[in-house]
């Protein structure tokens, strides 16, 4: 007994399942893509889980106002493995799809929520059967991959129901106006931010923008014009010690080859390597036809950057710190430009 008669095939469990309405499939699919919830939480959503607000006041689901740009769609998520029931905002497109299915959903008997023990109306139910938590993996994902002409696996492995949750979390974290870690934690329904950190992956584009916004090179590097005397190089004079690089300081030129290492470069002490622009030597240099003008980037120390950003006060502090630091030619600024103390006569105080 119980055996199938010859020539008669017993229908497989998949074949015996009722064909689900397109509106139900579409609502499940959009919930998976945009709700950011686990597959078992999607399967346990309850009838009436979508609510609409406009200007802080509730509106009916079939109101034309839900199509307004500033309408807010809220999804009530049931109690789950990491927390209690909560409400979250979702894309209106998802809410409209669920409302469409609810309008067509036939009356279904209540069923027991195995997590809470309550008798409830499950949203995704048809012909007295609820959509299982494995429906997304077994049907939705293969169907979408087949329709899109993409493989059901990639470098990260098989595309599963959890992929949409991690993807939308990363997108929200890397948006132009991103969610904070704690906001994303609340939206995902995590108990702790440590769990959220696994989803909050910083994309290369976001990381690049953050790096650019930090302005490291803009703040810590400056560009200076360098005049290269090609005659001195080609004639061999440079090898004999003749200056061939001339860093333009504005008021003069510095011929120190290792200019980027000189501590006085932001506050030139005018040592033997310095040539004033109003000197005949500088004028002869500028008159040469074979000069090659180049730009050199110079990394700045914290004090030098402060001198650039904060002005004269910071520059004076830098000068004071360098007063006894030897220049490339040997003497210190104090020796090159002796500091003269100005005293007031007693007669001036009268």
């Amino acid at each position: 007994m119980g055996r199938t008669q010859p020539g008669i095939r017993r229908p497989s469990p998949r074949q015996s399942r009722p064909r689900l309405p397109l509106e139900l499939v579409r609502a499940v699919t959009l919930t998976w893509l945009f709700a950011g919830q686990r597959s078992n939480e999607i399967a346990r959503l309850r009838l009436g889980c979508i609510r609409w607000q406009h200007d802080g006041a509730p509106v009916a689901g079939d109101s034309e106002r839900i199509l307004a740009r500033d309408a807010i769609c809220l999804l009530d998520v049931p109690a789950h493995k990491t927390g209690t029931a909560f409400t979250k905002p979702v894309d209106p497109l998802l809410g409209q799809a669920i409302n469409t299915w609810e309008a067509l959903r036939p009356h279904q008997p209540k069923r027991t929520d195995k997590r809470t023990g309550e008798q409830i109306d499950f949203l995704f139910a048809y012909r007295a059967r609820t959509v299982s938590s494995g429906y997304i993996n077994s049907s939705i994902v293969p169907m979408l991959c087949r329709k899109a002409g993409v493989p059901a696996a990639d470098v990260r492995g098989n595309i599963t129901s959890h992929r949409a949750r991690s993807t939308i979390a990363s997108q929200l974290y890397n948006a132009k106006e991103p969610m904070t870690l704690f906001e994303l934690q609340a939206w995902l329904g995590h108990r702790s931010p440590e769990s959220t950190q696994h989803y909050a992956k910083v994309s290369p584009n976001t990381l690049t923008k953050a790096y650019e916004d930090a302005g490291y090179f803009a703040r810590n590097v400056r560009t200076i014009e360098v005049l290269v005397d090609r005659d001195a190089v080609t004639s061999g004079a440079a090898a004999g010690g003749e200056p061939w690089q001339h860093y333009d300081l504005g008021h003069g030129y510095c011929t120190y080859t290792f200019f980027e290492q000189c501590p006085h470069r932001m506050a030139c002490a005018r040592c033997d390597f310095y040539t004033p622009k109003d000197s005949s030597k500088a004028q002869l240099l500028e008159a040469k036809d074979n000069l090659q003008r180049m730009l050199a980037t110079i990394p700045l120390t914290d004090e030098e950057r402060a001198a650039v950003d904060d002005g004269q006060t910071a520059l004076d502090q830098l000068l004071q710190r360098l007063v006894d630091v030897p220049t490339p030619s040997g003497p210190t600024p104090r020796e090159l430009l002796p500091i003269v103390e100005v005293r007031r006569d007693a007669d001036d105080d009268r």
Side-chain angles (χ1 to χ4, degrees):
M1 293 181 64
R3 294 183 179 179
T4 305
Q5 297 181 5
I8 299 178
R9 298 180 60 187
R10 184 186 300 273
S12 67
R14 181 183 297 273
Q15 291 173 328
S16 63
R17 293 174 184 172
R19 189 178 184 87
L20 299 179
L22 178 61
E23 292 79 8
L24 170 57
V25 176
R26 185 172 186 269
V28 173
T29 302
L30 291 178
T31 303
W32 171 58
L33 291 174
F34 297 116
Q37 295 304 127
R38 304 174 182 91
S39 58
N40 65 321
E41 295 165 359
I42 294 174
R44 292 175 48 244
L45 288 175
R46 305 180 177 189
L47 197 64
C49 62
I50 287 293
R51 293 182 288 115
W52 296 90
Q53 285 186 353
H54 188 273
D55 291 336
V59 295
D62 57 356
S63 171
E64 294 182 357
R65 296 168 65 188
I66 66 173
L67 300 178
R69 181 175 298 178
D70 54 351
I72 297 175
C73 180
L74 300 175
L75 174 67
D76 293 330
V77 180
H80 48 98
K81 72 174 186 178
T82 60
T84 59
F86 69 101
T87 300
K88 62 191 293 184
V90 292
D91 193 282
L93 185 66
L94 164 59
Q96 292 163 14
I98 290 180
N99 285 159
T100 299
W101 163 239
E102 285 182 329
L104 299 174
R105 178 184 179 274
H107 177 74
Q108 304 291 317
K110 292 181 182 293
R111 297 180 66 90
T112 303
D113 187 326
K114 295 180 180 180
R115 181 167 294 276
T116 65
E118 300 173 277
Q119 290 289 313
I120 63 168
D121 289 315
F122 285 107
L123 171 65
F124 298 126
Y126 185 64
R127 292 187 180 177
R129 299 181 62 174
T130 58
V131 170
S132 69
S133 59
Y135 175 67
I136 294 174
N137 279 338
S138 64
S139 299
I140 298 295
V141 172
M143 175 189 66
L144 293 180
C145 291
R146 187 168 57 253
K147 291 289 186 180
V150 298
D154 56 17
V155 293
R156 294 172 56 187
N158 292 331
I159 299 176
T160 64
S161 61
H162 203 70
R163 182 69 67 90
R165 178 172 166 86
S166 62
T167 298
I168 195 170
S170 296
Q171 289 176 342
L172 291 173
Y173 193 69
N174 289 280
K176 185 176 181 180
E177 298 293 337
M179 280 187 172
T180 66
L181 184 64
F182 294 105
E183 290 169 342
L184 188 59
Q185 174 192 346
W187 194 82
L188 291 172
H190 284 151
R191 183 176 299 171
S192 67
E194 285 77 13
S195 300
T196 311
Q197 288 177 335
H198 294 290
Y199 296 84
K201 305 292 186 181
V202 179
S203 71
N205 288 341
T206 299
L207 192 60
T208 299
K209 185 178 185 305
Y211 181 73
E212 291 175 348
D213 290 346
Y216 176 81
F217 282 104
R219 292 173 55 249
N220 296 278
V221 176
R222 288 297 183 270
T223 303
I224 187 171
E225 187 177 53
V226 186
L227 304 183
V228 178
D229 189 345
R230 300 182 64 179
D231 269 353
V233 176
T234 56
S235 66
E242 184 73 21
W244 63 281
Q245 287 178 304
H246 304 267
Y247 293 87
D248 190 346
L249 307 180
H251 49 72
Y253 296 103
C254 178
T255 60
Y256 184 46
T257 303
F258 304 102
F259 175 80
E260 69 279 359
Q261 301 175 17
C262 178
H264 301 274
R265 61 194 177 194
M266 291 294 294
C268 183
R270 305 192 180 186
C271 62
D272 292 346
F273 289 93
Y274 177 75
T275 303
K277 278 196 173 181
D278 57 0
S279 66
S280 58
K281 186 176 181 180
Q283 293 171 0
L284 289 173
L285 171 68
E286 293 173 345
K288 287 188 174 183
D289 295 330
N290 65 327
L291 284 180
Q292 182 177 358
R293 296 181 179 271
M294 304 177 65
L295 294 177
T297 55
I298 307 296
L300 304 182
T301 64
D302 291 342
E303 289 176 317
E304 290 172 338
R305 190 176 65 245
V308 172
D309 297 339
D310 300 337
Q312 189 61 43
T313 301
L315 182 59
D316 291 341
Q317 293 174 352
L318 178 61
L319 287 169
Q320 185 62 35
R321 187 184 68 79
L322 296 174
V323 69
D324 293 314
V325 176
T327 62
S329 61
T332 67
R334 189 189 299 275
E335 295 168 341
L336 291 169
L337 301 170
I339 297 177
V340 180
E341 184 177 356
V342 179
R343 297 181 180 275
R344 299 175 66 188
D345 291 334
D347 292 339
D348 294 337
D349 294 329
R350 294 177 185 174

